[in-house]
Amino acid sequence: MTVAIPVYNAANYIKATLDSLMKQTMNSREFEVICVNDCSTDKSKEVIESFKIRMANLVLIERETNSGGPMIPRNDAIQAARGEYLLFLDNDDFLGEEALERLYNAAQENRSDVVYGKYIGVNGRNVPQSMFKKGNIANADIIKDNLVYSLAPHKMFNVSFLHKHQFLFNPQAVVGEDQLFVMQCYVEAKVITVLADYDYYFVVSRGNENLSLKYFPAKNFFYSFHQLLKYIDESNLNNLYKRDLKIAYLNRFFHASRLRRQLLSKKRTKEQKRDWLAETKKFIDSHISDEIMQGIEPRFHSIIHIAKKQDLKKLLKLARSIRGAIL
């Protein structure tokens, strides 16, 4: 088994991450830990090397150039992984002591392509919980078990499954690359196992690291989401399931705050808002037919109609009237 950790300027908190791996009930000879150092400018490398003295299963990969995000380091780990399964772990998160053993045993028992263990938020971090209410699910359904609301990559994947489908994180994506990767895996997986019987993965609040507050050109923002819905359209899923999956995902997409924050933000110029409206219209025209629109929650209809009509005045009025509220 392989645990993959992309590392960038994590010297202040990666100790807790690696400590949790040293404490695993799984025998250390049965898993490896790959840290991919993305040209950190702090003492991340030194901290990792201090753990290597105590962790014979710790591998350090040094990138020669900074990749600008976790996607390429994760790809490096996929290519280097020697384990049968691979778990992605962020460099400021940590695992419950029995996590690896429980995840591995469930994967073996169910012949899973993807295994998803219960998340716990730390320092006020909000994490998805609805998919755990039914308890353990040997083979979960993407729609019925609400998996569209859990598209972070911090899950365990069968490495042969990833190689078979040539799944990697798309380096062209500046936002939503994790959603694209995980949704592709969901669509192709024969078995997705959800485990709710233990606190597996502890997601630590990243403080002021909030991508939804950063500015992305609208075209770049939509890239991953275009690709995700295109992948569903071109998949071998039956047509009714494709429709329902697109509806489920789009409701999740509009529920998330990133698009609304860009469209309604006081920090955006009128020219930037026009650009966002134009790209939002392209996205809607490409992926939201009249049939799909019938399944979109009514609370999102106003922003969709404004974007389709490219009505900047209405957008500005809406922004003033509901500043900070959910549409």
Side-chain angles (χ1 to χ4, degrees):
M1 183 172 175
T2 299
V3 178
I5 309 173
V7 179
Y8 181 71
N9 288 356
N12 291 333
Y13 34 78
I14 195 172
K15 182 179 182 297
T17 306
L18 295 175
D19 275 339
S20 76
L21 293 169
M22 287 188 67
K23 295 175 182 176
Q24 290 298 303
T25 55
M26 175 177 274
N27 190 306
S28 63
R29 292 190 296 272
E30 296 179 357
F31 71 97
E32 64 177 351
V33 178
I34 299 178
C35 290
V36 183
N37 184 23
D38 201 14
C39 299
S40 296
T41 58
D42 65 358
K43 294 186 179 298
S44 294
K45 179 181 178 181
E46 288 83 348
V47 174
I48 295 167
E49 287 181 333
S50 72
F51 273 84
K52 285 189 70 175
I53 297 170
R54 293 170 286 163
M55 294 178 68
N57 60 341
L58 179 56
V59 177
L60 174 61
I61 295 177
E62 289 272 15
R63 288 192 50 78
E64 294 182 359
T65 57
N66 177 264
S67 68
M71 300 91 74
I72 294 177
R74 287 181 182 139
N75 290 344
D76 291 340
I78 291 173
Q79 301 293 358
R82 294 177 297 166
E84 184 180 359
Y85 300 95
L86 185 151
L87 173 74
F88 292 110
L89 177 63
D90 275 356
N91 59 197
D92 53 356
D93 296 336
F94 57 94
L95 301 178
E97 293 182 8
E98 300 175 21
L100 295 185
E101 186 173 13
R102 285 171 173 265
L103 290 165
Y104 178 82
N105 289 341
Q108 289 285 295
E109 180 180 348
N110 298 295
R111 303 183 69 180
S112 314
D113 293 314
V114 182
V115 185
Y116 172 24
K118 184 179 180 182
Y119 287 178
I120 301 296
V122 179
N123 294 341
R125 181 68 183 265
N126 290 323
V127 294
Q129 292 293 323
S130 61
M131 57 290 303
F132 302 120
K133 292 180 179 178
K134 298 178 183 177
N136 288 357
I137 307 172
N139 191 5
D141 180 86
I142 308 171
I143 301 172
K144 292 178 181 177
D145 296 310
N146 229 18
L147 299 189
V148 293
Y149 283 91
S150 178
L151 294 174
H154 312 124
K155 300 168 176 64
M156 194 175 79
F157 301 87
N158 183 297
V159 174
S160 295
F161 165 77
L162 296 180
H163 290 327
K164 174 184 176 181
H165 296 282
Q166 299 181 318
F167 284 147
L168 294 169
F169 290 85
N170 191 321
Q172 293 180 260
V174 297
V175 62
E177 80 289 340
D178 48 355
Q179 296 184 32
L180 174 59
F181 177 88
V182 175
M183 182 61 84
Q184 288 175 325
C185 290
Y186 281 170
V187 167
E188 300 298 342
K190 293 182 179 178
V191 178
I192 304 170
T193 300
V194 174
L195 300 177
D197 58 347
Y198 181 74
D199 296 343
Y200 287 85
Y201 191 106
F202 291 81
V203 187
V204 180
S205 173
R206 287 152 177 71
N208 60 3
E209 182 189 333
N210 190 337
L211 288 174
S212 64
L213 298 177
K214 297 179 182 179
Y215 182 72
F216 297 95
K219 185 175 182 179
N220 293 350
F221 172 87
F222 278 106
Y223 176 82
S224 293
F225 311 118
H226 275 301
Q227 296 300 314
L228 185 156
L229 289 164
K230 181 181 177 183
Y231 194 89
I232 293 174
D233 276 333
E234 295 176 353
S235 72
N236 292 323
L237 298 172
N238 74 62
N239 289 333
L240 287 177
Y241 196 87
K242 285 182 188 182
R243 180 200 64 190
D244 291 346
L245 182 55
K246 288 179 68 176
I247 289 170
Y249 177 76
L250 285 163
N251 279 319
R252 179 229 195 262
F253 175 79
F254 286 111
H255 173 76
S257 62
R258 286 178 180 174
L259 176 60
R260 292 198 311 275
R261 287 191 183 187
Q262 296 294 350
L263 287 171
L264 302 177
S265 173
K266 292 187 291 186
K267 297 180 180 180
R268 302 293 162 251
T269 65
K270 286 186 178 181
E271 193 57 40
Q272 286 174 333
K273 286 181 183 292
R274 287 191 184 94
D275 179 46
W276 275 83
L277 278 176
E279 291 299 328
T280 304
K281 175 176 167 54
K282 290 180 185 177
F283 179 78
I284 291 167
D285 289 345
S286 297
H287 303 294
I288 303 182
S289 63
D290 290 341
E291 182 183 20
I292 295 291
M293 188 66 178
Q294 292 176 15
I296 301 297
E297 294 179 22
R299 63 190 174 120
F300 305 131
H301 287 192
S302 58
I303 199 71
I304 292 172
H305 290 313
I306 286 171
K308 284 178 73 70
K309 293 179 180 179
Q310 300 288 279
D311 195 331
L312 182 61
K313 287 184 178 179
K314 273 194 176 180
L315 179 67
L316 296 174
K317 182 179 179 181
L318 181 64
R320 288 192 297 269
S321 66
I322 62 167
R323 187 77 65 195
I326 295 177
L327 297 180

Short mmCIF file of all heavy atoms in Angstrom, two decimals, residues 59-113:
data_model
loop_
_atom_site.label_atom_id
_atom_site.label_comp_id
_atom_site.label_asym_id
_atom_site.label_seq_id
_atom_site.Cartn_x
_atom_site.Cartn_y
_atom_site.Cartn_z
N VAL A 59 9.69 7.44 1.55
CA VAL A 59 10.40 7.77 0.31
C VAL A 59 10.23 9.26 0.04
O VAL A 59 9.11 9.80 0.11
CB VAL A 59 9.83 6.97 -0.88
CG1 VAL A 59 10.53 7.36 -2.18
CG2 VAL A 59 9.95 5.47 -0.62
N LEU A 60 11.32 9.95 -0.27
CA LEU A 60 11.26 11.38 -0.59
C LEU A 60 11.60 11.57 -2.06
O LEU A 60 12.66 11.18 -2.54
CB LEU A 60 12.25 12.17 0.27
CG LEU A 60 12.41 13.67 -0.06
CD1 LEU A 60 11.08 14.40 0.11
CD2 LEU A 60 13.50 14.29 0.81
N ILE A 61 10.67 12.16 -2.80
CA ILE A 61 10.89 12.53 -4.20
C ILE A 61 11.05 14.04 -4.26
O ILE A 61 10.19 14.78 -3.78
CB ILE A 61 9.71 12.08 -5.09
CG1 ILE A 61 9.61 10.56 -5.12
CG2 ILE A 61 9.87 12.64 -6.52
CD1 ILE A 61 8.42 10.04 -5.92
N GLU A 62 12.13 14.49 -4.85
CA GLU A 62 12.41 15.93 -4.96
C GLU A 62 12.12 16.40 -6.38
O GLU A 62 12.77 15.95 -7.33
CB GLU A 62 13.88 16.21 -4.63
CG GLU A 62 14.22 16.04 -3.16
CD GLU A 62 14.00 17.32 -2.38
OE1 GLU A 62 13.32 18.24 -2.89
OE2 GLU A 62 14.50 17.39 -1.25
N ARG A 63 11.15 17.29 -6.52
CA ARG A 63 10.89 17.87 -7.83
C ARG A 63 11.92 18.95 -8.13
O ARG A 63 12.37 19.67 -7.23
CB ARG A 63 9.48 18.48 -7.87
CG ARG A 63 8.37 17.43 -7.90
CD ARG A 63 7.02 18.07 -8.22
NE ARG A 63 7.10 18.92 -9.39
CZ ARG A 63 7.12 18.49 -10.65
NH1 ARG A 63 7.06 17.20 -10.90
NH2 ARG A 63 7.19 19.34 -11.65
N GLU A 64 12.28 19.07 -9.40
CA GLU A 64 13.28 20.06 -9.79
C GLU A 64 12.68 21.43 -10.02
O GLU A 64 13.38 22.45 -9.92
CB GLU A 64 14.00 19.59 -11.07
CG GLU A 64 14.83 18.33 -10.86
CD GLU A 64 15.57 17.92 -12.12
OE1 GLU A 64 15.41 18.62 -13.16
OE2 GLU A 64 16.32 16.93 -12.07
N THR A 65 11.38 21.47 -10.35
CA THR A 65 10.69 22.75 -10.54
C THR A 65 9.37 22.71 -9.78
O THR A 65 8.74 21.66 -9.67
CB THR A 65 10.40 23.03 -12.03
OG1 THR A 65 9.61 21.95 -12.57
CG2 THR A 65 11.69 23.17 -12.82
N ASN A 66 8.97 23.87 -9.28
CA ASN A 66 7.70 23.95 -8.57
C ASN A 66 6.55 23.83 -9.57
O ASN A 66 6.54 24.50 -10.60
CB ASN A 66 7.61 25.26 -7.80
CG ASN A 66 6.27 25.42 -7.10
OD1 ASN A 66 5.36 26.05 -7.61
ND2 ASN A 66 6.16 24.83 -5.93
N SER A 67 5.57 23.01 -9.24
CA SER A 67 4.47 22.73 -10.18
C SER A 67 3.31 23.71 -10.03
O SER A 67 2.44 23.77 -10.89
CB SER A 67 3.94 21.31 -9.96
OG SER A 67 3.29 21.22 -8.70
N GLY A 68 3.27 24.44 -8.92
CA GLY A 68 2.22 25.42 -8.72
C GLY A 68 0.97 24.88 -8.05
O GLY A 68 -0.01 25.60 -7.88
N GLY A 69 0.98 23.62 -7.67
CA GLY A 69 -0.20 23.03 -7.03
C GLY A 69 0.05 21.57 -6.73
O GLY A 69 1.10 21.02 -7.10
N PRO A 70 -0.91 20.88 -6.10
CA PRO A 70 -0.69 19.48 -5.70
C PRO A 70 -0.88 18.47 -6.82
O PRO A 70 -0.58 17.29 -6.65
CB PRO A 70 -1.75 19.27 -4.62
CG PRO A 70 -2.86 20.19 -5.00
CD PRO A 70 -2.20 21.41 -5.61
N MET A 71 -1.37 18.92 -8.01
CA MET A 71 -1.75 17.96 -9.05
C MET A 71 -0.56 17.13 -9.55
O MET A 71 -0.60 15.90 -9.55
CB MET A 71 -2.40 18.68 -10.24
CG MET A 71 -3.66 19.45 -9.89
SD MET A 71 -3.26 21.15 -9.43
CE MET A 71 -2.89 21.86 -11.03
N ILE A 72 0.50 17.81 -9.98
CA ILE A 72 1.64 17.10 -10.56
C ILE A 72 2.38 16.27 -9.51
O ILE A 72 2.77 15.12 -9.80
CB ILE A 72 2.56 18.08 -11.31
CG1 ILE A 72 1.80 18.66 -12.52
CG2 ILE A 72 3.84 17.40 -11.75
CD1 ILE A 72 2.56 19.70 -13.31
N PRO A 73 2.59 16.79 -8.28
CA PRO A 73 3.17 15.90 -7.26
C PRO A 73 2.33 14.64 -7.01
O PRO A 73 2.89 13.56 -6.80
CB PRO A 73 3.22 16.80 -6.02
CG PRO A 73 3.38 18.18 -6.57
CD PRO A 73 2.55 18.19 -7.82
N ARG A 74 1.02 14.77 -7.04
CA ARG A 74 0.18 13.57 -6.90
C ARG A 74 0.40 12.63 -8.08
O ARG A 74 0.43 11.40 -7.92
CB ARG A 74 -1.29 13.96 -6.78
CG ARG A 74 -1.66 14.58 -5.44
CD ARG A 74 -3.13 14.92 -5.36
NE ARG A 74 -3.47 15.55 -4.09
CZ ARG A 74 -4.30 16.58 -3.96
NH1 ARG A 74 -4.89 17.10 -5.03
NH2 ARG A 74 -4.55 17.09 -2.77
N ASN A 75 0.52 13.19 -9.28
CA ASN A 75 0.81 12.35 -10.45
C ASN A 75 2.15 11.64 -10.31
O ASN A 75 2.29 10.47 -10.68
CB ASN A 75 0.79 13.20 -11.72
CG ASN A 75 -0.60 13.68 -12.10
OD1 ASN A 75 -1.60 13.16 -11.61
ND2 ASN A 75 -0.67 14.67 -12.97
N ASP A 76 3.15 12.36 -9.78
CA ASP A 76 4.46 11.73 -9.56
C ASP A 76 4.31 10.52 -8.63
O ASP A 76 4.93 9.47 -8.86
CB ASP A 76 5.42 12.74 -8.91
CG ASP A 76 5.81 13.87 -9.85
OD1 ASP A 76 5.68 13.71 -11.09
OD2 ASP A 76 6.26 14.92 -9.35
N ALA A 77 3.47 10.67 -7.61
CA ALA A 77 3.27 9.57 -6.66
C ALA A 77 2.53 8.40 -7.31
O ALA A 77 2.84 7.24 -7.03
CB ALA A 77 2.51 10.08 -5.43
N ILE A 78 1.54 8.70 -8.16
CA ILE A 78 0.83 7.62 -8.86
C ILE A 78 1.82 6.81 -9.69
O ILE A 78 1.78 5.57 -9.70
CB ILE A 78 -0.28 8.20 -9.76
CG1 ILE A 78 -1.41 8.79 -8.91
CG2 ILE A 78 -0.85 7.11 -10.69
CD1 ILE A 78 -2.46 9.54 -9.72
N GLN A 79 2.71 7.50 -10.37
CA GLN A 79 3.68 6.80 -11.23
C GLN A 79 4.69 6.01 -10.41
O GLN A 79 5.17 4.95 -10.84
CB GLN A 79 4.41 7.82 -12.11
CG GLN A 79 3.50 8.65 -13.02
CD GLN A 79 2.83 7.82 -14.11
OE1 GLN A 79 3.06 6.63 -14.24
NE2 GLN A 79 1.98 8.46 -14.90
N ALA A 80 5.04 6.51 -9.22
CA ALA A 80 6.08 5.87 -8.42
C ALA A 80 5.54 4.81 -7.46
O ALA A 80 6.31 4.00 -6.93
CB ALA A 80 6.84 6.94 -7.61
N ALA A 81 4.23 4.79 -7.24
CA ALA A 81 3.64 3.91 -6.22
C ALA A 81 3.93 2.44 -6.49
O ALA A 81 3.75 1.94 -7.60
CB ALA A 81 2.13 4.14 -6.16
N ARG A 82 4.35 1.75 -5.45
CA ARG A 82 4.60 0.31 -5.54
C ARG A 82 3.51 -0.49 -4.84
O ARG A 82 3.50 -1.72 -4.92
CB ARG A 82 5.95 -0.02 -4.92
CG ARG A 82 7.14 0.57 -5.68
CD ARG A 82 8.44 0.26 -4.98
NE ARG A 82 8.48 0.88 -3.64
CZ ARG A 82 9.38 0.56 -2.70
NH1 ARG A 82 10.28 -0.38 -2.94
NH2 ARG A 82 9.35 1.19 -1.53
N GLY A 83 2.61 0.19 -4.17
CA GLY A 83 1.55 -0.50 -3.44
C GLY A 83 0.40 -0.91 -4.34
O GLY A 83 0.23 -0.40 -5.46
N GLU A 84 -0.41 -1.83 -3.83
CA GLU A 84 -1.61 -2.26 -4.55
C GLU A 84 -2.67 -1.18 -4.53
O GLU A 84 -3.46 -1.04 -5.46
CB GLU A 84 -2.14 -3.54 -3.91
CG GLU A 84 -3.33 -4.15 -4.61
CD GLU A 84 -3.82 -5.42 -3.93
OE1 GLU A 84 -3.22 -5.82 -2.90
OE2 GLU A 84 -4.82 -6.00 -4.41
N TYR A 85 -2.69 -0.40 -3.44
CA TYR A 85 -3.62 0.71 -3.28
C TYR A 85 -2.85 1.97 -2.96
O TYR A 85 -1.74 1.91 -2.41
CB TYR A 85 -4.64 0.42 -2.17
CG TYR A 85 -5.47 -0.81 -2.41
CD1 TYR A 85 -5.10 -2.04 -1.86
CD2 TYR A 85 -6.62 -0.75 -3.19
CE1 TYR A 85 -5.85 -3.18 -2.09
CE2 TYR A 85 -7.38 -1.89 -3.43
CZ TYR A 85 -6.99 -3.10 -2.87
OH TYR A 85 -7.73 -4.22 -3.11
N LEU A 86 -3.47 3.10 -3.27
CA LEU A 86 -2.84 4.39 -3.02
C LEU A 86 -3.82 5.32 -2.32
O LEU A 86 -4.95 5.49 -2.77
CB LEU A 86 -2.37 5.02 -4.33
CG LEU A 86 -1.58 6.33 -4.25
CD1 LEU A 86 -0.62 6.44 -5.44
CD2 LEU A 86 -2.49 7.55 -4.24
N LEU A 87 -3.38 5.90 -1.20
CA LEU A 87 -4.19 6.86 -0.45
C LEU A 87 -3.54 8.23 -0.55
O LEU A 87 -2.34 8.39 -0.26
CB LEU A 87 -4.27 6.45 1.03
CG LEU A 87 -4.95 7.46 1.96
CD1 LEU A 87 -6.46 7.47 1.75
CD2 LEU A 87 -4.62 7.15 3.43
N PHE A 88 -4.31 9.24 -0.96
CA PHE A 88 -3.80 10.61 -0.99
C PHE A 88 -4.03 11.27 0.36
O PHE A 88 -5.14 11.25 0.91
CB PHE A 88 -4.51 11.43 -2.08
CG PHE A 88 -4.19 10.99 -3.47
CD1 PHE A 88 -5.14 10.35 -4.26
CD2 PHE A 88 -2.93 11.20 -4.02
CE1 PHE A 88 -4.85 9.95 -5.54
CE2 PHE A 88 -2.62 10.79 -5.30
CZ PHE A 88 -3.59 10.18 -6.08
N LEU A 89 -2.96 11.87 0.87
CA LEU A 89 -3.01 12.55 2.17
C LEU A 89 -2.35 13.91 2.02
O LEU A 89 -1.24 14.01 1.49
CB LEU A 89 -2.27 11.69 3.22
CG LEU A 89 -2.14 12.23 4.64
CD1 LEU A 89 -3.51 12.40 5.29
CD2 LEU A 89 -1.26 11.29 5.47
N ASP A 90 -3.02 14.97 2.45
CA ASP A 90 -2.43 16.31 2.37
C ASP A 90 -1.41 16.49 3.48
O ASP A 90 -1.47 15.85 4.53
CB ASP A 90 -3.50 17.39 2.47
CG ASP A 90 -4.14 17.68 1.12
OD1 ASP A 90 -3.69 17.10 0.11
OD2 ASP A 90 -5.10 18.48 1.07
N ASN A 91 -0.47 17.43 3.25
CA ASN A 91 0.66 17.56 4.16
C ASN A 91 0.34 18.29 5.47
O ASN A 91 1.24 18.53 6.27
CB ASN A 91 1.84 18.22 3.47
CG ASN A 91 1.59 19.61 2.92
OD1 ASN A 91 2.36 20.11 2.08
ND2 ASN A 91 0.54 20.29 3.36
N ASP A 92 -0.94 18.62 5.69
CA ASP A 92 -1.33 19.18 6.98
C ASP A 92 -2.51 18.43 7.59
O ASP A 92 -3.12 18.90 8.55
CB ASP A 92 -1.64 20.68 6.87
CG ASP A 92 -2.65 20.99 5.78
OD1 ASP A 92 -3.05 20.06 5.06
OD2 ASP A 92 -3.03 22.16 5.64
N ASP A 93 -2.84 17.27 7.03
CA ASP A 93 -3.89 16.41 7.57
C ASP A 93 -3.26 15.20 8.24
O ASP A 93 -2.05 14.99 8.17
CB ASP A 93 -4.84 15.97 6.45
CG ASP A 93 -5.59 17.14 5.82
OD1 ASP A 93 -5.74 18.17 6.50
OD2 ASP A 93 -6.02 17.00 4.67
N PHE A 94 -4.09 14.37 8.88
CA PHE A 94 -3.54 13.17 9.51
C PHE A 94 -4.61 12.09 9.57
O PHE A 94 -5.80 12.35 9.33
CB PHE A 94 -2.97 13.46 10.90
CG PHE A 94 -3.94 14.08 11.87
CD1 PHE A 94 -4.66 13.28 12.75
CD2 PHE A 94 -4.12 15.46 11.93
CE1 PHE A 94 -5.54 13.84 13.66
CE2 PHE A 94 -5.00 16.03 12.85
CZ PHE A 94 -5.72 15.22 13.71
N LEU A 95 -4.18 10.86 9.87
CA LEU A 95 -5.05 9.68 9.86
C LEU A 95 -5.26 9.13 11.26
O LEU A 95 -4.39 9.25 12.13
CB LEU A 95 -4.44 8.57 8.99
CG LEU A 95 -4.16 8.88 7.52
CD1 LEU A 95 -3.51 7.66 6.87
CD2 LEU A 95 -5.43 9.27 6.79
N GLY A 96 -6.41 8.48 11.46
CA GLY A 96 -6.62 7.69 12.66
C GLY A 96 -5.67 6.50 12.65
O GLY A 96 -5.26 6.01 11.59
N GLU A 97 -5.31 6.01 13.82
CA GLU A 97 -4.26 4.99 13.93
C GLU A 97 -4.60 3.69 13.20
O GLU A 97 -3.71 2.99 12.73
CB GLU A 97 -3.97 4.71 15.40
CG GLU A 97 -3.32 5.88 16.12
CD GLU A 97 -2.99 5.58 17.57
OE1 GLU A 97 -3.11 4.40 17.97
OE2 GLU A 97 -2.59 6.51 18.29
N GLU A 98 -5.88 3.35 13.10
CA GLU A 98 -6.28 2.11 12.44
C GLU A 98 -6.68 2.32 10.99
O GLU A 98 -7.13 1.37 10.32
CB GLU A 98 -7.45 1.47 13.21
CG GLU A 98 -7.14 1.12 14.65
CD GLU A 98 -8.37 0.61 15.39
OE1 GLU A 98 -9.31 0.14 14.72
OE2 GLU A 98 -8.39 0.67 16.64
N ALA A 99 -6.52 3.53 10.48
CA ALA A 99 -7.07 3.88 9.17
C ALA A 99 -6.57 2.99 8.05
O ALA A 99 -7.36 2.41 7.29
CB ALA A 99 -6.79 5.35 8.86
N LEU A 100 -5.26 2.87 7.90
CA LEU A 100 -4.73 2.11 6.77
C LEU A 100 -5.14 0.65 6.82
O LEU A 100 -5.52 0.06 5.80
CB LEU A 100 -3.20 2.23 6.72
CG LEU A 100 -2.62 3.62 6.45
CD1 LEU A 100 -1.11 3.55 6.33
CD2 LEU A 100 -3.22 4.24 5.20
N GLU A 101 -5.08 0.05 8.00
CA GLU A 101 -5.44 -1.36 8.13
C GLU A 101 -6.90 -1.58 7.78
O GLU A 101 -7.26 -2.50 7.04
CB GLU A 101 -5.16 -1.83 9.55
CG GLU A 101 -5.37 -3.32 9.76
CD GLU A 101 -4.92 -3.78 11.14
OE1 GLU A 101 -4.68 -2.93 12.02
OE2 GLU A 101 -4.84 -5.01 11.33
N ARG A 102 -7.78 -0.70 8.28
CA ARG A 102 -9.21 -0.84 8.01
C ARG A 102 -9.52 -0.59 6.53
O ARG A 102 -10.33 -1.32 5.92
CB ARG A 102 -9.99 0.15 8.87
CG ARG A 102 -10.11 -0.24 10.34
CD ARG A 102 -10.70 0.91 11.15
NE ARG A 102 -11.00 0.55 12.53
CZ ARG A 102 -12.17 0.14 12.98
NH1 ARG A 102 -13.19 0.03 12.14
NH2 ARG A 102 -12.36 -0.16 14.25
N LEU A 103 -8.92 0.43 5.94
CA LEU A 103 -9.15 0.74 4.52
C LEU A 103 -8.70 -0.42 3.64
O LEU A 103 -9.41 -0.84 2.71
CB LEU A 103 -8.42 2.02 4.13
CG LEU A 103 -8.97 3.33 4.70
CD1 LEU A 103 -7.95 4.45 4.53
CD2 LEU A 103 -10.28 3.71 4.02
N TYR A 104 -7.52 -0.95 3.93
CA TYR A 104 -6.98 -2.05 3.13
C TYR A 104 -7.85 -3.30 3.25
O TYR A 104 -8.17 -3.95 2.24
CB TYR A 104 -5.55 -2.36 3.58
CG TYR A 104 -4.94 -3.53 2.84
CD1 TYR A 104 -4.37 -3.35 1.58
CD2 TYR A 104 -4.93 -4.81 3.40
CE1 TYR A 104 -3.82 -4.43 0.89
CE2 TYR A 104 -4.38 -5.89 2.72
CZ TYR A 104 -3.84 -5.69 1.47
OH TYR A 104 -3.30 -6.76 0.79
N ASN A 105 -8.25 -3.63 4.47
CA ASN A 105 -9.08 -4.83 4.67
C ASN A 105 -10.42 -4.70 3.94
O ASN A 105 -10.91 -5.67 3.35
CB ASN A 105 -9.31 -5.08 6.16
CG ASN A 105 -8.05 -5.57 6.87
OD1 ASN A 105 -7.11 -6.05 6.23
ND2 ASN A 105 -8.02 -5.44 8.18
N ALA A 106 -11.01 -3.50 3.98
CA ALA A 106 -12.28 -3.30 3.28
C ALA A 106 -12.11 -3.42 1.78
O ALA A 106 -12.95 -4.00 1.08
CB ALA A 106 -12.85 -1.92 3.63
N ALA A 107 -10.99 -2.88 1.27
CA ALA A 107 -10.73 -2.98 -0.17
C ALA A 107 -10.56 -4.42 -0.60
O ALA A 107 -11.07 -4.84 -1.65
CB ALA A 107 -9.48 -2.16 -0.51
N GLN A 108 -9.84 -5.19 0.21
CA GLN A 108 -9.64 -6.61 -0.11
C GLN A 108 -10.96 -7.38 -0.05
O GLN A 108 -11.26 -8.20 -0.93
CB GLN A 108 -8.64 -7.21 0.89
CG GLN A 108 -7.22 -6.73 0.70
CD GLN A 108 -6.56 -7.38 -0.51
OE1 GLN A 108 -6.36 -8.59 -0.56
NE2 GLN A 108 -6.24 -6.58 -1.51
N GLU A 109 -11.75 -7.11 0.97
CA GLU A 109 -13.00 -7.84 1.16
C GLU A 109 -14.00 -7.56 0.05
O GLU A 109 -14.70 -8.46 -0.42
CB GLU A 109 -13.61 -7.45 2.51
CG GLU A 109 -14.92 -8.15 2.81
CD GLU A 109 -15.51 -7.74 4.15
OE1 GLU A 109 -14.80 -7.08 4.95
OE2 GLU A 109 -16.69 -8.08 4.39
N ASN A 110 -14.05 -6.30 -0.40
CA ASN A 110 -15.06 -5.89 -1.37
C ASN A 110 -14.53 -5.78 -2.80
O ASN A 110 -15.28 -5.47 -3.72
CB ASN A 110 -15.66 -4.55 -0.95
CG ASN A 110 -16.37 -4.62 0.38
OD1 ASN A 110 -17.38 -5.30 0.51
ND2 ASN A 110 -15.83 -3.92 1.37
N ARG A 111 -13.22 -5.99 -2.97
CA ARG A 111 -12.57 -5.84 -4.27
C ARG A 111 -12.85 -4.43 -4.82
O ARG A 111 -13.24 -4.24 -5.97
CB ARG A 111 -13.02 -6.93 -5.24
CG ARG A 111 -12.78 -8.34 -4.71
CD ARG A 111 -13.17 -9.40 -5.70
NE ARG A 111 -12.27 -9.42 -6.85
CZ ARG A 111 -12.40 -10.27 -7.87
NH1 ARG A 111 -13.38 -11.16 -7.86
NH2 ARG A 111 -11.57 -10.21 -8.89
N SER A 112 -12.61 -3.46 -3.98
CA SER A 112 -12.98 -2.07 -4.28
C SER A 112 -11.98 -1.40 -5.20
O SER A 112 -10.77 -1.64 -5.14
CB SER A 112 -13.06 -1.26 -2.98
OG SER A 112 -13.77 -1.95 -1.97
N ASP A 113 -12.51 -0.52 -6.06
CA ASP A 113 -11.66 0.37 -6.85
C ASP A 113 -11.39 1.66 -6.09
O ASP A 113 -10.32 2.27 -6.24
CB ASP A 113 -12.34 0.70 -8.18
CG ASP A 113 -12.44 -0.51 -9.09
OD1 ASP A 113 -11.44 -1.23 -9.22
OD2 ASP A 113 -13.52 -0.75 -9.64
#
